[in-house]
Amino acid sequence: MTAARTGLDGTHRWTQLTFVENDPLDFDLDEWADVMERTASTAVCISAGGYVAYYPTKVPLHHRSAYLGDRDLLGEVVDLARSRGMAVMARVDPHAVHRDVVEQRPDWIARTEDGELLEHWAMPGIYLTDAFGGYSWELTTEVLREIARDYDVDALFANRWQGHGPGYTATTAADFRAATGRALPTSKDPAGGEAWATYRAWRRSRLSDLVAHWDRAVQEVAPAVRFVPNLGSFTAADLEPRVARAVPFLLVDHQARGDGEALWSAGRDAKRVRALHPGKPVGLITSVGPESHDFRWKDSVNAAVETTGWIVDGFVHGAFPWFTKFAARIPDPRWIPAVERGFGLHRAVSADLGESRPVAEVLVWDADERGATTPVRDAASGVYQALVELGVPFEYVGPGSLAALSRPGVRLVVVPEVPTLDEAAADALRAFAEGGGALLLTGGGPDVVGGGDGDGADVPGRGPLVTALLGVDVVERRGGIVRNNYVQREPRGALQDGFGDARRVVGGTRLVRFAVPDGAGGLDVSWRFVPDHPDLPMEEVYPRSEPTDPAVLGGPVGAGRVDVVGFNLTELYWQALQADHLTLLDNLVRRGLGGRRAVELHGPGVLDVATWAGDRSFTVLAANLTDPMMMRGQRRAVSPLAGVRVVLDVDRVGALAGSTVPQEPADAGPGAGLRVEVLVGEVWERAEATASGGRIEVSLPPVRELAAVRLSW
């Protein structure tokens, strides 16, 4: 019996089974039915075709599994899922082909710059396809149409569909020249030059057209079926907004931590994609195995707490959970309880997430790191790490999401060491400050660059943003590594909490020198640079004069405020993790927020916090990142946290929620006062709460992977 068709929204929990070619020999459908039951999965993504077909395909040159026999693995899983009322997505992978395709359609195969067929880097004897050519536009289209027509699926999903470089086929070269008037770029062209910039813009347009083409193609044969492209956390920017708005949801293919990534990376992926494409549901694909780009242990099992923690941090920040298993055999079942735990916690809070929207008082300016320098990337990681440690919920804002500046309750925008902003962004930030918001610029703030005049000529930029905002000139930018630098606080200056008796602390390695005009009204300097001095010989390590140049300064702009740090505070925090730099950032954030925060967490450990608002509700979710292996390697264990308290400022919560919140907790249900609940295990329970001075304090039960507090009124 087939259940009613389910919707493709952001509330599902997905099982993805990625078959290998010999899985048809002993695929155990009952075993996988048990996995879906145990994990409370509500949707399934199943390998269907592309490189290998797991159903009796009739499309010429579509390679059918040599072990398929009379089985139809796709059909078996679709029938199982439909009988359980699950959403179903069929996966295809068009990135490589077997030798018979090469022999019959060499024009579909990617080439090297020298014109040689491009063999797969990992599997000899198979070849990479040209993502912009006929294999994608013709054969893959027919495969998608066949599946949509013959199987009861909700969507088609493509993996590795974006290609591996320009392809260098005659077809792609001709299309590129027709669109741009140029030849395809090669390794001889500078990576940051005009040739590759032109290619990247063309690639974005061409891939967006391909997604739209595939979506139309499947709907022609099955109007209710959609196409969903697989994406990475940065490649979400590869889709033009016109196409991104049309797909049902976006997926982030960042399957686990690797190469020393931070535990909060899953949540950052969710925030970034939501900022790029506001209002679009986002999913995070989690592998049950470790993610090592060097070693590729694809059919292995990650540490259980690592898998659970990745899932939890993703959905705390709005990415619905999805796990993937490579190969249908289960020689190591330790991943199943880990997914079961993560999915169970999502089930406990999914109703709140589905009815709410992410909110935050703090926004962070997000640069596109794909082409950014290492200092810019480190600065982006440094500000993220710092705000997580400080327990400050925040969202992203960027050139394509300036409307976020006008969200209710937003009070502070942090702009880390981003080198440039365009004029539209600069104007929006100035208007935000003039309207009563606060800006925090580190690294001296960006320069404002001009756009075009419509005839292809550049319009000069307006210079440093700090000059436009505060009237402070930038005299010098020292971009090299400055050694042995220090900053000294003013005796009666602000931003001194937490430094005790210390007057001098570590400064930066990239410095900006300001010229503050005489009589600058309202400007205050709280820290100054200690003059340069040698770091060897040791007898010479002392400054020769008193500090004069401002290192941290700020002042009013309209009804708001701007604070500027004249050194690479966030980059250096990521590189060196100096406690004094965290204290300075804490003071700056608190000043930007007027000394109050909507939500504060007190107690031990590191919790990655997010806040969600509904029509008459407010939910605090926090992923527990506390672990001795926090920065590198697999997590070994969950470190339970006792004594965590959540303090909520009622007026600030109301501003974020856009609703008046009762000042006192009540024993009755919603409508009669404020109901306060905490998550105990996977169940919401009424919580003891105290109210005083417009603040409500809630003590949490011992926190394992997830802490959660819910207010409703």
Side-chain angles (χ1 to χ4, degrees):
M1 178 179 178
T2 300
R5 183 177 295 276
T6 186
L8 283 176
D9 55 26
T11 63
H12 285 298
R13 292 174 292 279
W14 287 82
T15 288
Q16 180 183 348
L17 177 52
T18 304
F19 287 131
V20 296
E21 183 156 10
N22 70 344
D23 271 337
L25 291 175
D26 51 12
F27 173 58
D28 188 336
L29 185 64
D30 291 337
E31 182 177 46
W32 278 94
D34 180 64
V35 168
M36 295 175 200
E37 181 71 25
R38 288 181 59 181
T39 59
S41 294
T42 61
V44 62
C45 178
I46 186 71
S47 289
Y51 178 64
V52 175
Y54 297 98
Y55 69 97
T57 179
K58 298 180 179 63
V59 176
L61 296 180
H62 188 204
H63 177 81
R64 170 176 166 157
S65 168
Y67 303 94
L68 189 64
D70 60 359
R71 293 194 74 172
D72 180 353
L73 267 61
L74 173 61
E76 292 175 29
V77 176
V78 169
D79 289 346
L80 169 68
R82 283 304 184 205
S83 70
R84 294 170 174 242
M86 301 172 72
V88 183
M89 184 144 54
R91 172 190 179 274
V92 300
D93 187 328
H95 89 280
V97 292
H98 296 78
R99 186 70 199 185
D100 59 331
V101 178
V102 179
E103 293 170 350
Q104 295 188 51
R105 293 302 303 264
D107 55 309
W108 288 352
I109 310 305
R111 306 272 174 160
T112 67
E113 294 179 11
D114 298 327
E116 299 296 323
L117 293 172
L118 194 55
E119 193 170 13
H120 201 286
W121 68 91
M123 181 68 181
I126 67 170
Y127 293 82
L128 299 177
T129 58
D130 176 16
F132 310 108
Y135 186 84
S136 292
W137 286 82
E138 299 170 31
L139 188 138
T140 302
T141 301
E142 288 309 307
V143 169
L144 294 171
R145 289 166 62 90
E146 180 180 58
I147 296 168
R149 181 179 59 245
D150 296 345
Y151 292 89
D152 184 20
V153 299
D154 296 291
L156 280 301
F157 167 76
N159 185 60
R160 288 191 177 273
W161 60 279
Q162 295 156 301
H164 298 82
Y168 297 110
T169 62
T171 300
T172 296
D175 288 346
F176 184 71
R177 185 175 292 279
T180 67
R182 305 180 66 108
L184 286 167
T186 70
S187 57
K188 296 178 182 178
D189 293 299
E194 184 179 354
W196 282 105
T198 301
Y199 167 75
R200 286 191 291 269
W202 174 84
R203 176 182 182 271
R204 183 174 189 244
S205 176
R206 188 66 170 156
L207 291 177
S208 296
D209 288 343
L210 182 60
V211 170
H213 166 73
W214 281 338
D215 198 31
R216 288 192 302 269
V218 297
Q219 290 182 71
E220 287 172 359
V221 297
V225 177
R226 303 299 308 276
F227 173 77
V228 177
N230 193 15
L231 300 164
S233 57
F234 292 123
T235 56
D238 284 340
L239 282 189
E240 294 178 344
R242 62 181 173 89
V243 176
R245 285 192 294 267
V247 299
F249 54 78
L250 298 169
L251 283 170
V252 178
D253 191 3
H254 188 182
Q255 298 181 11
R257 286 195 307 147
D259 303 330
E261 289 177 292
L263 285 175
W264 40 253
S265 300
R268 178 161 74 168
D269 287 340
K271 290 183 184 181
R272 274 196 162 133
V273 178
R274 288 194 289 98
L276 278 169
H277 304 291
K280 184 62 60 177
V282 176
L284 176 70
I285 301 177
T286 299
S287 173
V288 303
E291 187 71 2
S292 170
H293 301 299
D294 292 329
F295 306 122
R296 297 285 293 175
W297 295 311
K298 301 310 294 182
D299 193 24
S300 184
V301 172
N302 216 343
V305 293
E306 184 76 46
T307 298
T308 301
W310 191 256
I311 292 169
V312 170
D313 196 57
F315 74 66
V316 159
H317 294 287
F320 60 81
W322 170 309
F323 82 87
T324 181
K325 169 68 171 68
F326 295 91
R329 300 168 185 82
I330 307 179
D332 184 347
R334 290 177 295 172
W335 60 268
I336 300 175
V339 174
E340 186 177 355
R341 174 67 173 161
F343 277 29
L345 290 169
H346 177 264
R347 177 175 55 186
V349 300
S350 59
D352 295 271
L353 298 178
E355 297 172 358
S356 303
R357 62 193 182 280
V359 294
E361 295 182 295
V362 177
L363 301 180
V364 171
W365 190 268
D366 192 28
D368 184 350
E369 292 183 31
R370 291 175 301 171
T373 61
T374 298
V376 172
R377 292 196 299 271
D378 284 355
S381 294
V383 71
Y384 204 108
Q385 174 73 24
L387 292 175
V388 167
E389 288 191 63
L390 295 173
V392 176
F394 68 96
E395 291 289 319
Y396 277 128
V397 62
S401 55
L402 295 176
L405 296 171
S406 60
R407 290 175 185 163
V410 174
R411 300 177 185 276
L412 170 66
V413 178
V414 182
V415 183
E417 287 96 73
V418 179
T420 60
L421 293 178
D422 64 28
E423 292 184 319
D427 289 342
L429 291 175
R430 183 185 185 96
F432 173 77
E434 290 177 341
L439 299 179
L440 170 56
L441 315 177
T442 65
D447 287 330
V448 181
V449 297
D453 64 359
D455 296 320
D458 289 336
V459 175
R462 299 191 308 210
L465 181 61
V466 65
T467 304
L469 293 172
L470 295 175
V472 174
D473 291 330
V474 173
V475 176
E476 180 185 19
R477 291 186 184 271
R478 299 174 65 183
I481 299 299
V482 179
R483 299 181 183 276
N484 201 37
N485 178 255
Y486 303 91
V487 293
Q488 183 167 305
R489 63 183 186 177
E490 290 289 273
R492 291 176 295 279
L495 308 174
Q496 300 199 15
D497 290 349
F499 290 103
D501 295 332
R503 290 191 60 213
R504 182 184 300 175
V505 301
V506 169
T509 59
R510 306 177 199 278
L511 314 181
V512 176
R513 190 157 64 92
F514 302 111
V516 179
D518 293 336
L523 286 181
D524 60 84
V525 177
S526 52
W527 292 78
R528 296 184 186 273
F529 286 117
V530 174
D532 286 0
H533 51 281
D535 64 300
L536 279 175
M538 295 306 299
E539 292 80 0
E540 301 289 350
V541 184
Y542 63 94
R544 271 59 171 180
S545 59
E546 289 299 310
T548 55
D549 288 338
V552 181
L553 70 159
V557 174
R561 179 178 180 85
V562 175
D563 284 302
V564 185
V565 178
F567 60 94
N568 55 332
L569 179 62
T570 56
E571 177 199 3
L572 194 54
Y573 187 65
W574 182 246
Q575 294 170 343
L577 291 172
Q578 291 290 302
D580 287 335
H581 290 165
L582 183 65
T583 300
L584 179 57
L585 279 165
D586 188 17
N587 287 335
L588 286 161
V589 169
R590 287 184 179 277
R591 180 155 77 174
L593 293 175
R596 301 162 54 199
R597 281 165 44 185
V599 176
E600 294 185 6
L601 274 69
H602 300 277
V606 179
L607 291 162
D608 188 3
V609 188
T611 45
W612 294 75
D615 289 340
R616 299 183 65 83
S617 68
F618 188 84
T619 303
V620 181
L621 299 178
N624 183 5
L625 304 187
T626 312
D627 192 271
M629 301 294 291
M630 181 176 176
M631 297 305 295
R632 286 184 59 82
Q634 289 182 329
R635 299 187 75 180
R636 304 295 193 258
V638 174
S639 299
L641 305 177
V644 177
R645 297 173 292 114
V646 180
V647 179
L648 302 107
D649 185 298
V650 176
D651 289 339
R652 291 288 182 98
V653 167
L656 290 169
S659 174
T660 301
V661 182
Q663 295 283 325
E664 298 281 342
D667 294 331
L674 184 64
R675 182 183 181 92
V676 183
E677 298 167 287
V678 297
L679 193 67
V680 180
E682 298 179 11
V683 178
W684 288 103
E685 295 185 2
R686 290 292 295 271
E688 295 292 332
T690 58
S692 176
R695 291 158 68 90
I696 292 174
E697 183 172 318
V698 185
S699 294
L700 298 183
V703 176
R704 288 185 60 81
E705 298 92 347
L706 177 69
V709 176
R710 180 170 65 191
L711 308 183
S712 54
W713 58 91

